[in-house]
Amino acid sequence: MQRDDSSAAPAARQGPTPGEEIRTLDPRSLRALSHPLRIRLLNALREYGPATASQLGARLGESSGATSYHLRQLAAHGFVVDAPEYNSGRQRWWKAAHRGTVLNVGQLRTDRDPEVRGAMDLLLHEIATMHAQELGTWLGTMNEWPAAWHSSWEISDQLLRLTPERARALTRELNAVVERYRQGADSGAGCGTDAGTGDDSGTGEDVPASPFRVHIHGFPRAEES
C-alpha cells in the first residue's frame, strides 16, 4: 500500500507481475476494502500468490466460510479475480488483480461522508498493525535465516526538521529508490546491498534472492513544550 497526497506498493512472489496496474482507491473501493480480514486476504494473495479460500483460512486462522465470503466481496469490487489456471475439482482459486494500491489520504480525509473517513482510518491502522506484526515475525525468526541476512536488514529511526514540501520530496525519493531496486530484481540485475545494522560480515553472494519487505514511515511530531 502506498499513500499519495497529490491530486492523483509489494510485488507478489507468484501473483500479478510488476507493471500490472496499481489501483488508486476511491471512496467506493475504499469502503469495500476497509475490513480487517479483507485487507489481510488481499495482502496474502499479493505476497504468497494464488490460493483457495481454504488455504487462506488456514494461513490466517479463519474459517473457510469467512474467507470465501470476503473473497467474493473483494471480487465484486475488482480487488481479486479467478485464477482458473490453478483450478482443480471443486476448489476455486483466487489471485490479486493488482500489484498494489494507492490511498490518496489528502483527498479522502476531507470527504463529506463520515463512513469514508472512518474507512480510511480503519485501513491505515490495520496496515500499521500488519507492519508491526511483520517486523515482529522477522525479529522472532531471524536466527532461522542464513547468516548473510543478519547483516542485510535495517531497523532505525531519524528525527529531521522538515517543511511539508521537503517531507513530500523525501518520501518521493525513498519510494523511487525502492522502485529502482524492484525493477533491478525483476530484470535479474544485481543491485548490491547495504548492511544497515552495522555488521558487514558475510557478503551473501551465494545466498539466493528472497522476498524482502520494505516499510516506509514518516510523519511530523509535536514540538516539545
Side-chain angles (χ1 to χ4, degrees):
M1 169 73 69
Q2 294 177 331
R3 66 181 291 274
D4 182 1
D5 282 335
S6 67
S7 55
R13 247 188 298 182
Q14 305 175 53
T17 58
E20 286 189 325
E21 182 182 357
I22 302 295
R23 179 170 182 176
T24 300
L25 298 179
D26 58 19
R28 182 172 180 272
S29 59
L30 171 62
R31 286 195 298 266
L33 180 59
S34 292
H35 182 285
L37 181 53
R38 293 178 196 174
I39 297 168
R40 291 190 292 143
L41 285 168
L42 184 56
N43 186 66
L45 288 173
R46 286 177 175 164
E47 181 168 359
Y48 301 108
T52 67
S54 296
Q55 291 170 338
L56 289 165
R59 177 178 293 279
L60 301 177
E62 299 283 348
S63 70
S64 59
T67 56
S68 180
Y69 170 77
H70 287 291
L71 283 166
R72 291 195 301 271
Q73 294 302 307
L74 288 170
H77 291 87
F79 287 104
V80 303
V81 294
D82 279 317
E85 63 271 27
Y86 290 87
N87 286 343
S88 60
R90 302 176 63 180
Q91 291 282 351
R92 185 178 187 181
W93 286 70
W94 300 92
K95 62 183 178 182
H98 314 97
R99 178 163 61 84
T101 50
V102 171
L103 179 65
N104 189 331
V105 175
Q107 189 175 73
L108 293 170
R109 66 180 293 274
T110 59
D111 195 279
R112 294 182 178 180
D113 189 344
E115 289 189 10
V116 172
R117 300 194 301 273
M120 185 189 69
D121 286 343
L122 187 152
L123 179 59
L124 290 173
H125 280 88
E126 186 67 21
I127 292 170
T129 297
M130 289 192 301
H131 285 186
Q133 291 171 341
E134 288 173 347
L135 178 58
T137 297
W138 160 250
L139 294 175
T141 61
M142 188 193 321
N143 290 335
E144 301 172 13
W145 287 73
W149 283 113
H150 298 172
S151 59
S152 302
W153 68 285
E154 176 70 22
I155 180 170
S156 63
D157 60 85
Q158 307 288 338
L159 183 60
L160 310 177
R161 192 171 186 86
L162 302 175
T163 63
E165 181 180 4
R166 283 175 56 79
R168 286 192 296 270
L170 172 62
T171 56
R172 283 195 298 267
E173 288 186 37
L174 291 173
N175 279 292
V177 169
V178 172
E179 187 59 29
R180 175 164 58 85
Y181 273 74
R182 184 202 308 279
Q183 292 173 359
D186 295 336
S187 66
C191 292
T193 302
D194 289 329
T197 53
D199 177 8
D200 57 3
S201 60
T203 63
E205 292 179 356
D206 57 346
V207 178
S210 177
F212 190 84
R213 178 67 83 192
V214 178
H215 298 157
I216 299 177
H217 304 149
F219 43 87
R221 299 278 286 175
E223 294 277 12
E224 289 290 335
S225 57

